[in-house]
Amino acid sequence: SKSRPLTNWMLNLLLQFALGKYCLQYHITSMTQSEYKALGDDGLFAILNTCGVDEIQLFLKNFFRKCDVSDLQPFRKCGSFVRDMFSGRPGTDKFKAFVSGYSSTMTEKLKKWLSYLVVYEAFGENDIRLSFWLKYLPFATEVPYIAQSSESFIIRFSNYTVLEFTEKTMGPLYVYENAKFDKVIKWKALKLTNSRLRAELLRCEKERANRIEHRGDWQFQTASYLSGEKITQ
C-alpha cells in the first residue's frame, strides 16, 4: 500500500520520542525520490540531526541511489551537516575514510553535493555569480573550495583554474593555467589576507591567462572565454 506523506505535525511529534526517532531514522533509509523532495531540506535535517554515523551511512546509500545529482542541490542544510559532522571535505583523510566502502558513483555524488554547498557559501542567494558558476560545476575536475584567509573561491577545470573573490569582498575573476596556478598562485590564495592577495594578483600579471571584471556583459565574456579554451568540453 502507498505510504502516507510525513507531515510537519507528524514529524515533530515523532521527534519527541526515542521510538519515534528510531522509526524516522529507519524511514529515511528507504524513502523514494519524491518522498525526499516532499520532506524537504528542513524536515530531513531534523531527522539527520538525531543520527549517528551508522544511520547517516545507511541514509546516504539510499539517498544517492534514489536521487539524481540535480535533486541534491536544494538539500544544503543536510549537506552541510553531513560534511561538517561526518564526511569532512574531499581530499582529507576523514573524507577518504568516510567513503572507503562507497562505489565510485556514490563517491562522485557526494562530491557533487558538497560542490553545490561551496558555491552557495561563496556567493549567497543574491549574488548573480551563484547561478553562473553552478552551471559550470559539471565541468570541474575537483570539488571547489574557499580559501578562508583570502576569502577567495577556487574552481579547477581540466586545464585552467579560476579564482573569484567571495560575496563578502567581491572583485574581478582571474584565470590561470593549472600549472602556473599551482606553482605561483595557490599558496598565496591559501596563506595571504584578502588585501595582500589582491595586490599579488595584480603584480603577477604575466602568470595569468585572463582577468575579467564583473561589469557589463561579463557573463557572456567569461562564458565565451571558457568555451574558447575548451574548458566546457
Side-chain angles (χ1 to χ4, degrees), residues 123-137:
F123 302 118
E125 294 278 3
N126 299 318
D127 193 321
I128 195 171
R129 295 176 297 171
L130 172 67
S131 60
F132 182 85
W133 288 115
L134 283 175
K135 292 187 297 185
Y136 285 91
L137 275 183

Side-chain angles (χ1 to χ4, degrees), residues 6 52 54 57 59 61 63 96 108 124 128 157 169 196 201:
L6 187 61
D54 291 339
Q57 290 284 27
F59 152 72
K61 288 178 181 178
F63 189 54
K96 293 175 183 176
E108 284 305 307
I128 195 171
F157 300 99
T169 58
R196 287 191 62 195
L201 296 186

Side-chain angles (χ1 to χ4, degrees), residues 1-58:
S1 61
K2 189 175 181 179
S3 61
R4 295 174 59 188
L6 187 61
T7 64
N8 288 335
W9 178 87
M10 190 184 306
L11 174 62
N12 292 330
L13 178 63
L14 290 171
L15 286 171
Q16 295 179 35
F17 304 98
L19 180 59
K21 293 177 183 177
Y22 174 80
C23 291
L24 290 170
Q25 291 167 3
Y26 177 78
H27 183 53
I28 63 173
T29 66
S30 60
M31 291 172 66
T32 64
Q33 179 190 48
S34 60
E35 286 174 331
Y36 284 124
K37 290 182 176 181
L39 183 58
D41 193 25
D42 288 336
L44 185 56
F45 171 75
I47 302 173
L48 295 183
N49 203 30
T50 70
C51 295
V53 64
D54 291 339
E55 293 80 18
I56 290 292
Q57 290 284 27
L58 289 172

Side-chain angles (χ1 to χ4, degrees), residues 159-219:
N159 297 314
Y160 291 88
T161 298
V162 176
L163 184 150
E164 281 260 36
F165 291 100
T166 66
E167 180 188 35
K168 187 175 180 180
T169 58
M170 296 293 286
L173 67 88
Y174 293 83
V175 185
Y176 299 91
E177 293 179 1
N178 286 341
K180 290 184 178 179
F181 179 84
D182 292 343
K183 183 178 180 179
V184 181
I185 304 300
K186 185 174 182 178
W187 75 266
K188 298 179 190 291
L190 293 173
K191 299 295 184 181
L192 299 182
T193 63
N194 182 273
S195 58
R196 287 191 62 195
L197 177 62
R198 289 171 184 270
E200 281 294 300
L201 296 186
L202 285 174
R203 186 181 67 81
C204 298
E205 183 176 358
K206 65 180 182 179
E207 276 80 18
R208 67 176 181 247
N210 206 342
R211 177 181 184 271
I212 301 173
E213 296 188 359
H214 298 95
R215 298 179 182 176
D217 61 349
W218 72 267
Q219 295 104 316

Side-chain angles (χ1 to χ4, degrees), residues 86-102 107:
F86 298 101
S87 75
R89 297 174 184 273
T92 64
D93 291 338
K94 184 177 182 180
F95 184 85
K96 293 175 183 176
F98 186 80
V99 302
S100 60
Y102 282 25
T107 301

